[in-house]
Amino acid sequence: MPKVTVDGEEIEVPNGATVLQACELAGKEIPRFCYHERLSIAGNCRMCLVEVKPGPPKPQASCALPATEGQEIRTDTPMVKSAREGVMEFLLINHPLDCPICDQGGECDLQDQSMYYGRGASRYGENKRAVTEKYMGPLIKTVMTRCIHCTRCVRFSEEIAGVDEIGALGRGEDMQITTYLEQAAEHELSANVIDLCPVGALTSRPYAFEARPWELKKTLSIDVSDAVGANIRLDSRGREVLRALPRNNDDVNEEWLSDKGRYMVDGLTRQRLDRVWMRDKRGKLQPASWDEAFKAIAKAKPQGSIAAIAGDLVDCETMFAAKKLVNALGSTLLEGRQTGMSYPADNLAAVAFNSTFAGIETADAILIVGSHVRWEAPLVNVRLRKAAKRGAKVFVVGPHWEPTYPAEFLGDDAGVLHNLPNHVAEALEKAQRPAVILGGAGLAVGALDAALALPVQRPSTGSGQAAWNGFNVLHMAASRMGGLMLGYAQKGGIADIVSAAPKVVLALGADEVNWANFGGSLKVYIGHHGDKGAHAADVILPGAAYSEKDGTYVNTEGRVQFAEKAVFAPGDAREDWTILRALADALGVNVGFDSFAQLQAAMIAEVPALGEEGLADYGALPKAPKGKAKLGRIASYPIKDFYLTNPIARASVTMQECSSELIHGQVLEAAE
């Protein structure tokens, strides 16, 4: 590793490091606008100038200069200071002075760096240039006169998202950043360019003029829009969540977030259940009191005949509280797979994403079975794109969709798993790190056993390389793995609960169930939105959304993560565990906890893995059963509309606009 000297301090830097990275290793702050750790080097802005010897007697862009043995780097000389002031002066020549009305105010890199590295006065007295606004869809608001041509948005779209939708037109003063034919940016990660933009050129359209950053309370949380478990920060004011932003976690979401996870938060205040409802004799829902609702449930005499069905957004504590209530009433009917899947869940390694998200980037042969990864887990698709760029061969079994990397589609007959084409079988056999990703459509046609038989495991080598397990199941529900860990899995799936015909069914935010199968049961919906489950319920008990309670979530990798409470639930709504605790009293049973701390302690005592943040250890994969079961045809994927997959998203005006314009092609007024 080369040794360099930074401001008189000698340090060792990794091979291939740049001068900018060497300076950061030495603890020096280097200003930059175009450089970003996860994007290719552009060298556009010239803000990162330093003085380097040996070399020409002039400042050099540190982001594009390799660090080599014996370099003497200076970041604090008069030449460097003057050069940075000059660059900043040129950047501000055409930049409008509209900080008071700019949504980036308080979070603007240009604002901050002009304060520290600028001259403090302007010498420019000519007319500033102006750029017409560009339409980039319902999520991104543009004020392109502010653009400094750092090209971060262009490089993100091309390199990370893999969708060449944003580019530059013209040259010099006439250069403009725009989308292709000024259409909406249509990929699932488009709004990440807002975080990347170092000025106010690209800002959030739904959040425009809502708040300043110093007004907001910031809460660490977990995205529940899919099973990736992206780390997010919820910014709230009063009782309303105004925005969700990604947090940096290299193991899960890096620093990206899907558009759905970012923008569905406006649905948290719409179509909310904020009071108790009961269905009268005429079949109409009428307002009621908590006491009346509990008495109606007790009147159904659920002892020995009660079931709990967990929805896709439920936290582990709620599921555990419901489990203790159901068990105390003498029942074991628990299920979380609402749509009827019944894959075996006695060995959780067989239903987890074992390679991990970071690990799938290093795979060199990948077989995707029954998964539209771009819609089911956009952030996993980013990892697959990285693997493909490194040379991985990707094969897909299922109907065609548009990946953002080269992939060969093998048809929609899952039976091909029993007899893979020679070149596919050979690729998996010869690969050092082969992987299979089994999606919801693959599980639905019974492809789990066939996937388990694929040669995607490798033993550890004597050279210290760890063992490789490339068997992955990609779930779509934030509650799925936590529910499986807590026993929410009947052997025959939800069909077992239907055949048991329980007197009472507790629907924990379960909106995807076919409630027509439970005509003889008292359906008690504990949830936060007036969605499908509430429409079918006989008793509605208003609960709390993920932003309104502390909770534990387990992503599809088996990674245990904790989300904090950001705001209070509206009206008479209560945190779900308190509802279940009060219901236990009304039914005359003991569930063993009186506080959230006691509930968590009991849950961790029963499932210790839920008490430790990080990857749970599910043990070794089971052996694939002998014989070849007949596999069906994968006719379609479970997600039909990326933007409307859960009750919060369906209540969101922003998500409805995205669905209308980006999925169904309806031109909105803002685009005209």
Side-chain angles (χ1 to χ4, degrees):
M1 295 197 301
K3 291 182 179 179
V4 300
T5 304
V6 180
D7 291 344
E9 178 188 350
E10 186 177 75
I11 61 168
E12 250 187 354
V13 298
N15 292 322
T18 63
V19 169
L20 186 150
Q21 291 167 326
C23 293
E24 291 194 329
L25 284 172
K28 305 296 179 181
E29 183 178 338
I30 305 295
R32 83 290 297 268
F33 292 114
C34 67
Y35 175 80
H36 190 278
E37 292 80 358
R38 301 187 195 277
L39 304 176
S40 63
I41 294 170
N44 298 351
C45 72
R46 319 308 285 179
M47 195 66 208
C48 61
L49 295 173
V50 296
E51 193 175 342
V52 182
K53 296 178 182 177
K58 64 177 185 178
Q60 299 189 61
S62 59
C63 68
L65 185 64
T68 57
E69 182 70 34
Q71 280 177 331
E72 293 182 31
I73 305 164
R74 302 293 304 188
T75 68
D76 54 2
T77 63
M79 180 201 289
V80 171
K81 182 175 184 295
S82 175
R84 289 176 179 170
E85 285 180 355
V87 169
M88 180 60 72
E89 196 169 11
F90 277 116
L91 285 173
L92 292 175
I93 274 180
N94 284 313
H95 196 79
L97 303 177
D98 55 3
C99 297
I101 59 156
C102 176
D103 273 317
Q104 286 275 39
E107 296 175 315
C108 175
D109 292 345
L110 186 64
Q111 228 177 28
D112 296 340
Q113 293 185 40
S114 62
M115 173 74 72
Y116 286 103
Y117 302 103
R119 291 184 70 251
S122 173
R123 296 180 290 177
Y124 188 75
E126 306 300 319
N127 293 329
K128 292 177 179 281
R129 78 165 191 159
V131 181
T132 55
E133 301 312 330
K134 315 298 179 188
Y135 182 71
M136 290 194 182
L139 303 180
I140 305 170
K141 178 174 180 276
T142 66
V143 185
M144 299 312 291
T145 301
R146 300 170 185 161
C147 179
I148 62 170
H149 302 161
C150 70
T151 67
R152 281 185 180 182
C153 55
V154 177
R155 284 174 285 147
F156 173 83
S157 296
E158 291 179 358
E159 298 165 13
I160 306 298
V163 182
D164 296 344
E165 288 188 329
I166 302 177
L169 299 177
R171 298 181 65 178
E173 193 176 59
D174 296 325
M175 180 176 170
Q176 298 184 23
I177 302 293
T178 181
T179 52
Y180 180 66
L181 295 181
E182 295 195 26
Q183 294 177 337
E186 295 184 358
H187 60 85
E188 303 77 25
L189 299 165
S190 64
N192 286 288
V193 299
I194 294 168
D195 298 333
L196 290 172
C197 185
V199 295
L202 304 177
T203 54
S204 171
R205 187 180 291 274
Y207 177 70
F209 310 121
E210 286 290 326
R212 288 297 196 185
W214 53 84
E215 299 177 309
L216 304 175
K217 186 182 93 172
K218 300 167 177 61
T219 308
L220 306 184
S221 189
I222 302 297
D223 173 34
V224 297
S225 66
D226 55 29
V228 171
N231 289 207
I232 61 173
R233 188 188 86 199
L234 295 177
D235 287 0
S236 57
R237 183 177 60 194
R239 302 187 69 156
E240 184 177 358
V241 174
L242 294 180
R243 65 176 180 177
L245 297 175
R247 287 187 286 134
N248 202 333
N249 187 327
D250 287 346
D251 293 328
V252 184
N253 57 303
E254 299 178 286
E255 60 186 82
W256 317 125
L257 183 60
S258 73
D259 291 349
K260 181 167 53 180
R262 184 187 296 263
Y263 283 115
M264 73 178 188
V265 292
D266 68 322
L268 289 168
T269 57
R270 293 175 172 84
Q271 298 181 20
R272 287 301 301 268
L273 299 172
D274 58 1
R275 64 187 303 176
V276 179
W277 297 84
M278 289 176 58
R279 202 170 293 278
D280 61 18
K281 293 180 180 178
R282 296 176 299 164
K284 293 187 176 182
L285 288 169
Q286 301 291 344
S289 67
W290 286 98
D291 191 49
E292 289 172 333
F294 288 160
K295 284 180 179 176
I297 298 168
K299 188 177 179 182
K301 298 180 180 179
Q303 282 76 5
S305 184
I306 185 172
I309 302 175
D312 292 346
L313 312 182
V314 188
D315 57 294
C316 292
E317 285 80 1
T318 297
M319 289 187 283
F320 181 76
K323 177 182 179 180
K324 299 308 287 183
L325 176 60
V326 168
N327 290 167
L329 289 166
S331 174
T332 58
L333 295 174
L334 305 168
E335 185 54 77
R337 300 165 294 182
Q338 303 177 66
T339 55
M341 285 194 284
S342 58
Y343 49 83
D346 48 350
N347 185 320
L348 293 182
V351 289
F353 204 95
N354 294 287
S355 72
T356 72
F357 299 148
I360 199 67
E361 291 181 12
T362 65
D364 45 6
I366 303 169
L367 176 62
I368 301 171
V369 182
S371 179
H372 186 329
V373 186
R374 263 187 77 174
W375 280 8
E376 294 171 13
L379 296 170
V380 174
N381 202 57
V382 168
R383 307 275 192 173
L384 295 178
R385 176 170 166 76
K386 283 187 186 180
K389 287 171 76 175
R390 289 171 176 164
K393 297 177 181 177
V394 182
F395 309 97
V396 184
V397 178
H400 191 273
W401 50 278
E402 286 296 330
T404 56
Y405 40 82
E408 180 183 347
F409 283 78
L410 306 177
D412 55 11
D413 182 7
V416 73
L417 296 179
H418 292 319
N419 189 20
L420 288 171
N422 290 337
H423 68 289
V424 180
E426 186 178 344
L428 292 175
E429 287 283 356
K430 290 185 176 180
Q432 292 184 340
R433 296 168 80 84
V436 61
I437 297 176
L438 184 62
L443 289 169
V445 298
L448 180 61
D449 289 346
L452 280 169
L454 296 172
V456 292
Q457 295 187 78
R458 296 291 183 267
S460 58
T461 62
S463 59
Q465 186 176 359
W468 167 259
N469 183 353
F471 183 83
N472 302 305
V473 173
L474 184 59
H475 296 293
M476 292 165 282
S479 64
R480 182 69 73 247
M481 288 305 295
L484 295 177
M485 292 170 76
L486 289 167
Y488 274 72
Q490 297 294 307
K491 190 172 183 180
I494 209 163
D496 285 0
I497 297 180
V498 173
S499 61
K503 294 178 181 176
V504 173
V505 178
L506 298 177
L508 309 175
D511 292 287
E512 314 304 328
V513 178
N514 182 2
W515 290 110
N517 294 328
F518 294 93
S521 304
L522 180 72
K523 297 175 284 293
V524 180
Y525 184 79
I526 303 174
H528 40 81
H529 276 78
D531 206 77
K532 304 172 189 174
H535 288 191
D538 300 308
V539 178
I540 297 174
L541 305 178
Y546 75 101
S547 58
E548 297 156 2
K549 57 187 173 182
D550 292 332
T552 304
Y553 296 90
V554 186
N555 75 356
T556 191
E557 297 174 294
R559 188 180 301 276
V560 180
Q561 302 183 110
F562 191 74
E564 298 175 5
K565 178 178 179 176
V567 294
F568 288 95
D572 288 338
R574 298 289 181 267
E575 293 183 31
D576 304 45
W577 75 268
T578 63
I579 297 173
L580 293 160
R581 176 65 186 82
L583 182 56
D585 280 346
L587 296 175
V589 294
N590 179 26
V591 288
F593 56 84
D594 296 310
S595 67
F596 186 76
Q598 291 177 357
L599 165 61
Q600 266 197 330
M603 179 182 75
I604 293 167
E606 186 168 310
V607 186
L610 291 175
E612 298 180 20
E613 288 196 89
L615 287 172
D617 184 5
Y618 294 144
L621 276 178
K623 290 185 178 180
K626 294 180 180 179
K628 295 182 179 180
K630 187 175 181 181
L631 301 181
R633 175 176 160 268
I634 301 172
S636 63
Y637 298 108
I639 295 179
K640 302 296 187 287
D641 189 326
F642 169 73
Y643 298 100
L644 303 177
T645 57
N646 63 64
I648 300 175
R650 287 191 283 266
S652 163
V653 172
T654 305
M655 291 295 95
Q656 290 171 12
E657 288 178 357
C658 288
S659 173
S660 297
E661 180 171 354
L662 306 180
I663 302 294
H664 301 293
Q666 299 176 13
V667 179
L668 302 180
E669 289 183 9
E672 293 175 349

